[in-house]
Amino acid sequence: MTTQPLEKNLENCEIAEQVITPWDVKGEDEKGIDYDKLIKKFGSQKISPELLDRFTKITGHEPHHFLRRGIVFSHRDFDHILTLKEQGKPFYLYTGRGPSSGSLHMGHCVPFMFTKWLQDVFDVPLVIQMTDDEKFLWKDLSLEEANRLAYLNIKDIIAFGFNPEKTFIFCDLDYIPSCKEFYWNIARIQKCVNFNQAQKIFGFDETSYIGKVSFPAIQAAPSFSTSFPHLFGNRKVPCLIPCAIDQDPYFRMTRDVAPRLSLPKPALLHSTFLPALQGAQTKMSSSEVNSAVEVCDTANQIKKKINKYAFSGGKVSVEEHREFGGDTSVDVSFKYLTFFEEDDAKLAQIKGDYESGAMLTGELKKLLIEKLQGIVKTFQESRAAVTDATVEQFMSRSPKS
Ligand code: TRP
């Protein structure tokens, strides 16, 4: 089976410089993707300090450092979710993962770390969709292989620490044939969008498999609580979707069809991408050799990858660096620390020292290496405790105790 450059059409109508689709992410220069431009283009809302104040007032929690630092930067109707919380009304969380490889890299961790935090703060149900069918259609994978990768990934996902009492994880290839209500919602959504609209949103063309053209309805369906009768009966419970910004086209479509099905529009929180080691023009990707730190890497592999590949904003010689300082706006190690160093004061100190030249690239990299080694170690310990029985618990549809 061959895969096709689906994004071709979309690319043509993009502003020449940056391309963000569910299949391709390219920024304009080494400073990376212009996320403000993206907000304008997609028509979402920037997360404002006022919104974060309201979050704190209602939940009693400080915003996550992803929110404070603009890593989760944009939303749709998150204010509405806060109102529900304020009024004590129910809602649920929905996120997902396309199992394209056997394990996750640090970039994949960002939405899951954030979703785990949201579940802790709001204490609400969470559904996690594994789109093994999507990867079968888009990648050179058999159904068996895509489904197998999904189960491997589920173990990684569970290791983020989701609440087993309130989390339901499912693979499309298993759940769709077994849940009538889910499939009925898919069919309803499929009847709301014609080819012309799908082409405009996703860039399909006449060479796209018809499976790909209808897939967006499958990613849309979990946004509606009636797709999960074992969790919600036939109640229409609103949904909040934390996802990377490249998934927004799916949910623009979902929000468009929701009122026509008399269902609530899902709210969204969008995250930016963790840059590739080589530089911020593109996101971390498992298919690019050495662009990614994997959650299964050893401490030594992490050290080697960062030292060898992490794009540096430092100067060519120590003398020059001491005199002029490093450029944190292009330095990948610094960017990673903004994702993974939670301590604001420590991060500010590093920024100041690196920009003044007091800190050298090697020293900056050392801090990042230690940080990532720590996170990966904790993750691997938690992953080692996940058994087949744990997986079953998260995928079970019988009432949770
Ligand atoms: N399409 C996503 C991917 O390739 C997987 C996914 C399915 C998803 N549903 C989602 C991601 C909801 C975020 C939110 O990874």
Side-chain angles (χ1 to χ4, degrees):
M1 191 183 311
T2 54
T3 47
Q4 302 146 14
L6 242 198
E7 64 281 10
K8 209 174 62 203
N9 265 340
L10 204 57
E11 203 164 353
N12 293 342
C13 59
E14 289 275 346
I15 17 170
E17 319 87 73
Q18 65 177 12
V19 181
I20 315 292
T21 74
W23 304 284
D24 200 10
V25 174
K26 257 191 233 105
E28 17 195 319
D29 54 25
E30 71 279 8
K31 293 223 180 350
I33 293 147
D34 184 333
Y35 288 104
D36 282 335
K37 236 187 219 171
L38 218 50
I39 286 181
K40 271 212 198 101
K41 191 173 146 53
F42 284 2
S44 61
Q45 256 68 55
K46 195 172 174 136
I47 290 178
S48 65
E50 295 74 36
L51 185 66
L52 293 183
D53 283 348
R54 184 158 180 247
F55 168 86
T56 304
K57 230 194 263 153
I58 291 171
T59 64
H61 285 263
E62 277 303 308
H64 191 279
H65 70 276
F66 289 168
L67 286 165
R68 299 199 301 270
R69 297 179 192 163
I71 289 168
V72 173
F73 71 109
S74 146
H75 76 104
R76 296 180 191 274
D77 287 345
F78 185 57
D79 39 346
H80 176 58
I81 294 292
L82 290 177
T83 304
L84 292 175
K85 176 75 188 165
E86 198 171 29
Q87 299 173 341
K89 293 193 176 143
F91 62 92
Y92 71 103
L93 295 164
Y94 157 41
T95 192
R97 149 108 185 126
S100 49
S101 64
S103 94
L104 307 187
H105 60 58
M106 293 310 294
H108 298 132
C109 296
V110 171
F112 287 115
M113 287 170 160
F114 186 60
T115 303
K116 147 81 178 147
W117 177 82
L118 286 172
Q119 188 181 43
D120 287 348
V121 166
F122 289 122
D123 191 29
V124 290
L126 161 67
V127 299
I128 303 179
Q129 176 181 44
M130 305 300 297
T131 52
D132 41 9
D133 51 351
E134 175 190 18
K135 295 303 159 185
F136 164 71
L137 286 163
W138 262 271
K139 304 268 167 179
D140 192 8
L141 291 175
S142 66
L143 282 171
E144 289 77 9
E145 183 62 3
N147 191 237
R148 190 184 71 84
L149 294 176
Y151 278 87
L152 276 178
N153 286 188
I154 286 172
K155 291 193 170 170
D156 282 353
I157 290 169
I158 289 172
F160 288 95
F162 296 109
N163 178 351
E165 302 297 326
K166 295 203 172 181
T167 305
F168 174 58
I169 307 182
F170 62 98
C171 299
D172 285 344
L173 289 173
D174 302 315
Y175 188 58
I176 296 170
S178 74
C179 180
K180 172 181 152 179
E181 288 81 358
F182 193 86
Y183 183 61
W184 281 37
N185 275 342
I186 292 171
R188 289 183 181 112
I189 298 161
Q190 286 172 339
K191 201 176 174 179
C192 287
V193 185
N194 64 34
F195 178 70
N196 188 37
Q197 293 165 318
Q199 185 175 31
K200 281 215 185 89
I201 304 171
F202 299 100
F204 297 126
D205 64 28
E206 56 281 1
T207 72
S208 307
Y209 301 130
I210 59 175
K212 290 186 178 182
V213 177
S214 61
F215 172 76
I218 299 178
Q219 182 153 334
S223 315
F224 303 131
S225 59
T226 52
S227 298
F228 306 100
H230 69 286
L231 295 175
F232 305 109
N234 59 6
R235 280 175 294 134
K236 296 175 184 177
V237 180
C239 173
L240 169 63
I241 308 172
C243 63
I245 186 69
D246 62 337
Q247 299 299 305
D248 187 67
Y250 287 111
F251 303 118
R252 284 206 296 274
M253 184 197 83
T254 310
R255 288 168 55 86
D256 198 52
V257 308
R260 283 184 278 159
L261 300 176
S262 305
L263 292 166
K265 288 184 181 190
L268 290 152
L269 281 169
H270 297 122
S271 55
T272 61
F273 306 108
L274 186 69
L277 281 169
Q278 283 75 7
Q281 281 100 329
T282 181
K283 65 171 177 171
M284 189 174 269
S285 158
S286 328
S287 28
E288 296 295 324
V289 197
N290 296 321
S291 86
V293 176
E294 308 276 340
V295 293
C296 54
D297 281 348
T298 62
N300 203 28
Q301 279 171 319
I302 294 173
K303 182 172 163 195
K304 275 200 187 135
K305 282 187 188 175
I306 301 294
N307 279 334
K308 187 153 178 208
Y309 298 109
F311 183 82
S312 167
K315 298 289 182 290
V316 280
S317 69
V318 172
E319 295 71 37
E320 240 187 276
H321 188 89
R322 292 277 185 230
E323 187 173 348
F324 301 106
D327 182 354
T328 51
S329 72
V330 298
D331 191 286
V332 166
S333 302
F334 181 76
K335 282 234 156 108
Y336 284 14
L337 283 170
T338 66
F339 280 77
F340 300 114
E341 175 51 68
E342 296 177 26
D343 185 334
D344 288 345
K346 203 162 164 190
L347 189 70
Q349 171 88 39
I350 294 169
K351 184 170 193 285
D353 288 351
Y354 194 61
E355 287 176 350
S356 75
M359 182 182 280
L360 298 173
T361 296
E363 295 163 333
L364 176 68
K365 286 194 172 188
K366 185 160 177 285
L367 289 177
L368 174 67
I369 289 164
E370 285 164 4
K371 190 83 221 169
L372 290 182
Q373 285 172 337
I375 293 174
V376 166
K377 182 165 176 281
T378 310
F379 175 86
Q380 288 174 357
E381 283 163 7
S382 159
R383 170 69 172 77
V386 178
T387 63
D388 289 339
T390 330
V391 172
E392 234 169 80
Q393 188 185 10
F394 277 90
M395 299 187 82
S396 152
R397 277 189 255 167
S398 51
K400 316 240 165 179
S401 56

